[in-house]
Amino acid sequence: MRPDYWPAAGHARTDQLESELVQKLCDDIARNALPGDVSVARGGQGEPLLHPGFRDAVESLSELPQVTRVFVETFGMDLTEDVLIDLAALPMAAKISIIVRLNTLQQDRYRKMYGVDRLADVLAALERLAAKDYPFERFVEVQRLRDNEDELDAFFERFDKGPVGIILQKFNSYARRLNERRASDLTPMMRDFCWHLARDLYLIADGRVPICKQDPFGEQPTLDFRALSVSEIFAQTLPHHAASVRGEHERIPMPCMQCDEWYTFNG
């Protein structure tokens, strides 16, 4: 059974996106995308800072004129001074946004949520982010949960006025795969099409592409990025987007009506 809070720092997966697939993605974007047309998020269910090719991938992606922003979503435990210096030295560092995922400022809650006792390391990383005038954007992202509602004021008091901005995020149950933790129900009363089916491509570390980001481990049928281009993948998934636009949600092989992420789009 997966923990209630995945994506979580303690999630025991060791898959790494091969450098050849990163290069394939860069080449595909360069050939097919319009200038400023793409945002890329490095993170998913893992920790991008642990990837041996992390810096090179961020550099390659950020230098593409088609890429308007590269989001680095990290749990912050390994966000060292050396990492920050390397990122700040990149030619297109201004395109980078570092987002530290942190749902509590309390030691006991952190241990329960993430399965490790490294809150001090994360807070130290956030202090490092705030200490210098880096060229990239810096944020701390906190999910609003039943478990931490009493801490939200403390988060805003600590981060709202400083150089590290705060992102208040809703809880994503991944279409009810996780136990419910929402502090409030934000499910839209009226649904039209899903933004994620229309705009997202979620690449799993092993090279598979699920229909939707709500299937982050590829438990439903997937496509193979090793064999297909981004445009070919979008062509094959276009019928799902068309079904979403038409309100024919039962034709999409995902539990769309159990999902409340249709309009949550941070990229």
Side-chain angles (χ1 to χ4, degrees):
M1 178 178 293
R2 296 191 181 107
D4 283 344
Y5 291 94
W6 67 264
H11 199 285
R13 293 186 69 93
T14 58
D15 298 331
Q16 291 184 349
L17 187 66
E18 297 172 10
S19 58
E20 291 80 3
L21 291 181
V22 176
Q23 187 59 53
K24 181 177 186 294
L25 178 63
C26 290
D27 293 343
D28 205 329
I29 291 172
R31 283 195 305 269
N32 298 304
L34 297 174
D37 195 37
V38 178
S39 295
V40 181
R42 294 296 311 274
Q45 309 307 313
E47 174 51 72
L49 301 185
L50 297 179
H51 195 289
F54 163 74
R55 181 194 178 282
D56 292 341
V58 172
E59 181 175 20
S60 297
L61 289 163
S62 64
E63 290 185 341
L64 293 172
Q66 295 84 357
V67 172
T68 185
R69 188 142 297 276
V70 179
F71 295 93
V72 177
E73 300 175 348
T74 172
F75 293 101
M77 302 173 194
D78 301 282
L79 193 57
T80 64
E81 186 75 24
D82 288 343
V83 170
L84 296 177
I85 291 172
D86 281 347
L87 291 177
L90 294 179
M92 302 302 292
K95 286 188 178 182
I96 299 170
S97 295
I98 296 180
I99 301 175
V100 177
R101 298 163 166 171
L102 180 63
N103 286 330
T104 181
L105 299 171
Q106 298 181 17
Q107 187 73 40
D108 56 340
R109 282 184 180 173
Y110 186 90
R111 188 182 304 110
K112 179 181 177 182
M113 288 181 177
Y114 297 95
V116 291
D117 194 12
R118 296 191 61 184
L119 177 60
D121 295 331
V122 180
L123 294 178
L126 287 166
E127 291 294 332
R128 283 191 290 272
L129 278 175
K132 295 182 180 180
D133 187 20
Y134 289 107
F136 43 75
E137 291 184 333
R138 296 153 278 171
F139 299 96
V140 59
E141 179 182 276
V142 54
Q143 294 182 70
R144 185 186 175 195
L145 308 169
R146 295 172 184 171
D147 312 64
N148 68 357
E149 271 216 289
D150 59 335
E151 291 192 69
L152 295 185
D153 286 344
F155 265 96
F156 278 93
E157 288 173 5
R158 183 163 187 156
F159 297 107
D160 194 31
K161 302 300 182 182
V164 177
I166 185 168
I167 299 172
L168 184 60
Q169 180 65 284
K170 63 176 285 298
F171 174 71
N172 180 9
S173 70
Y174 288 86
R176 302 183 186 174
R177 284 178 167 86
L178 303 183
N179 293 335
E180 185 59 76
R181 289 289 187 271
R182 288 181 301 180
S184 59
D185 187 352
L186 301 178
T187 303
M189 297 296 292
M190 298 292 293
R191 300 177 186 251
D192 46 38
F193 69 90
C194 174
W195 287 20
H196 296 285
L197 289 177
R199 300 171 64 178
D200 280 1
L201 185 145
Y202 189 99
L203 179 58
I204 302 174
D206 61 12
R208 292 178 299 145
V209 176
I211 292 169
C212 174
K213 74 160 195 169
Q214 296 295 71
D215 182 24
F217 298 107
E219 295 166 330
Q220 301 297 323
T222 60
L223 298 172
D224 185 5
F225 183 61
R226 298 177 188 277
L228 300 171
S229 67
V230 170
S231 58
E232 289 171 330
I233 289 172
F234 275 124
Q236 290 197 28
T237 57
L238 179 60
H240 304 313
H241 171 48
S244 178
V245 171
R246 294 174 184 140
E248 299 170 346
H249 310 297
E250 70 284 353
R251 299 184 60 183
I252 304 169
M254 285 293 295
C256 295
M257 300 309 292
Q258 298 176 28
C259 175
D260 65 353
E261 288 283 305
W262 290 31
Y263 305 111
T264 305
F265 203 84
N266 296 329

